[in-house]
Amino acid sequence: MVYFIVFICLFILELFYFKLADHFNIIDKPNQRSSHNTITLRGGGVVFYFGALAYFIWSDFQYPWFFLGLTIMTIISFLDDVFTLSNKIRLVVHFSSVLLLAYQLVLFEMPWYYLLIGFIFVVGVINAYNFMDGINGMTACYSLAVGALLMLTNYKINFIAHDLLAFSLLGVFVFSFFNFRTKAKCFAGDVGAVAIAYILLFALGSLILMTGNIIYILFLLVYGIDAIWTIIRRLYLKENIFKAHRSHLYQLLGNEVACNKLLISFLYGLIQFIVGLFVIRFSNENLSTQLIFSLALVSLLSLIYLTIKIYVIKKYIITKI
């Protein structure tokens, strides 16, 4: 019953946000780098934060440092959606939020390199998550896939409060209703992509630290492959990797090949979910078996990814993107 109530409340909050966004002209105007061609409301992903907020209140304020970090990250990302803030301000806030996340995960009590590795990984994933939010349904489908994998694992291991994941994913379901459409009612915006990435990273970090098993990082493998190989190609072409672009595989498929964008988003989520099920299966194997499985999986998906991307580039005469 509580899930139904939270879902209805989040749905109403999303509708209320649409009124505010429309009134204050918080919109996403298409440009030459966009994968859409109509003006659409931006920032609908703020409902992810409200899902986590509902859990924070429901749980009598569990995980306070995590939630403080999520709050300031969400606020600055929302302001960036509205006003476009300077990189320095965003960097300071992101750095502070990651430190709060690390504090909640008790990384400061571990060797210093745990904190360094954790910081690099979290910042990298948050930015990748933001870059991958480019077509209708992508953030929703992928987040549901990763969230479902974390929930399945949590049933066995109990590494985090289950309702934190449940309430947050209810927010994703609400967003999906308005975004997983041929003509989306809203986009997640930086606020949505950053917020859900932060939530999922907290859960994933808790899982890895509790089990001591880094194989669970493969819950983010599909995004990781697309993001990393795209960065490598852009560096090879001597492009500024921090500027907006349309050179991810999903963007090429959706824009140049004209594949159904909702199908692309669904397949990204589905492939990640299937990969995650294999990861869960191999998580109980010995270290050498896990290493062989991980290397084979990364190599296979990279090969498939590069084969498709090279074919698309050659077929559609994309010389530089």
Side-chain angles (χ1 to χ4, degrees), residues 212-223:
N213 195 341
I214 201 172
I215 195 174
Y216 292 110
I217 198 175
L218 298 180
F219 280 177
L220 299 171
L221 180 60
V222 174
Y223 261 18

Side-chain angles (χ1 to χ4, degrees), residues 10 15 33 60 62 79 99 130 139 148 151 166 171 258 268 280 287 301 307-308:
L10 293 177
L15 292 175
R33 296 292 184 180
D60 290 329
Q62 191 176 10
L79 292 176
L99 288 181
N130 201 7
T139 294
M151 291 184 76
Y268 264 68
I280 293 173
L287 180 59
L301 287 187
T307 299
I308 296 173

Side-chain angles (χ1 to χ4, degrees), residues 193-240:
V194 168
I196 194 62
Y198 194 87
I199 294 167
L200 294 176
L201 280 169
F202 174 59
L204 183 61
S206 299
L207 172 59
I208 292 174
L209 290 172
M210 175 174 284
T211 61
N213 195 341
I214 201 172
I215 195 174
Y216 292 110
I217 198 175
L218 298 180
F219 280 177
L220 299 171
L221 180 60
V222 174
Y223 261 18
I225 285 177
D226 200 344
I228 291 171
W229 282 113
T230 298
I231 290 173
I232 291 173
R233 181 170 183 269
R234 297 194 75 205
L235 288 173
Y236 174 76
L237 294 174
K238 298 180 180 180
E239 296 178 355
N240 185 340

Side-chain angles (χ1 to χ4, degrees), residues 54-124:
Y55 170 75
F56 186 60
I57 297 171
W58 172 261
S59 66
D60 290 329
F61 314 113
Q62 191 176 10
Y63 307 128
W65 300 111
F66 153 75
F67 190 75
L68 177 59
L70 175 63
T71 299
I72 62 175
M73 184 82 88
T74 299
I75 290 172
I76 203 66
S77 298
F78 179 74
L79 292 176
D80 193 39
D81 276 332
V82 178
F83 302 112
T84 306
L85 303 176
S86 73
N87 290 331
K88 292 181 179 179
I89 294 176
R90 286 191 288 113
L91 182 63
V92 170
V93 172
H94 284 202
F95 180 79
S96 301
S97 297
V98 174
L99 288 181
L100 288 168
L101 180 65
Y103 188 77
Q104 186 70 71
L105 291 172
V106 201
L107 286 179
F108 287 96
E109 297 181 9
M110 300 179 182
W112 64 270
Y113 51 83
Y114 276 77
L115 181 61
L116 177 61
I117 294 172
F119 181 83
I120 294 173
F121 177 71
V122 170
V123 171

Side-chain angles (χ1 to χ4, degrees), residues 234-294:
R234 297 194 75 205
L235 288 173
Y236 174 76
L237 294 174
K238 298 180 180 180
E239 296 178 355
N240 185 340
I241 63 173
F242 298 104
K243 286 189 176 181
H245 62 93
R246 299 203 316 185
S247 52
H248 286 290
L249 177 59
Y250 77 85
Q251 291 170 317
L252 301 183
L253 292 173
N255 298 312
E256 275 66 34
V257 184
C259 293
N260 185 296
K261 294 175 182 177
L262 297 181
L263 177 61
I264 296 169
S265 296
F266 176 77
L267 288 175
Y268 264 68
L270 178 62
I271 293 170
Q272 181 60 76
F273 185 72
I274 293 172
V275 166
L277 292 179
F278 278 103
V279 171
I280 293 173
R281 161 63 183 81
F282 278 86
S283 63
N284 295 321
E285 300 292 338
N286 59 55
L287 180 59
S288 60
T289 301
Q290 288 187 22
L291 286 174
I292 293 171
F293 162 74
S294 300

Side-chain angles (χ1 to χ4, degrees), residues 19-68:
K19 295 290 186 181
L20 290 178
D22 188 53
H23 179 75
F24 291 104
N25 204 35
I26 306 173
I27 57 175
D28 196 313
K29 294 181 180 179
N31 54 47
Q32 68 273 20
R33 296 292 184 180
S34 300
S35 295
H36 62 285
N37 51 27
T38 58
I39 294 177
T40 309
L41 296 178
R42 180 193 297 178
V46 71
V47 72
F48 308 153
Y49 171 78
F50 288 124
L53 175 61
Y55 170 75
F56 186 60
I57 297 171
W58 172 261
S59 66
D60 290 329
F61 314 113
Q62 191 176 10
Y63 307 128
W65 300 111
F66 153 75
F67 190 75
L68 177 59

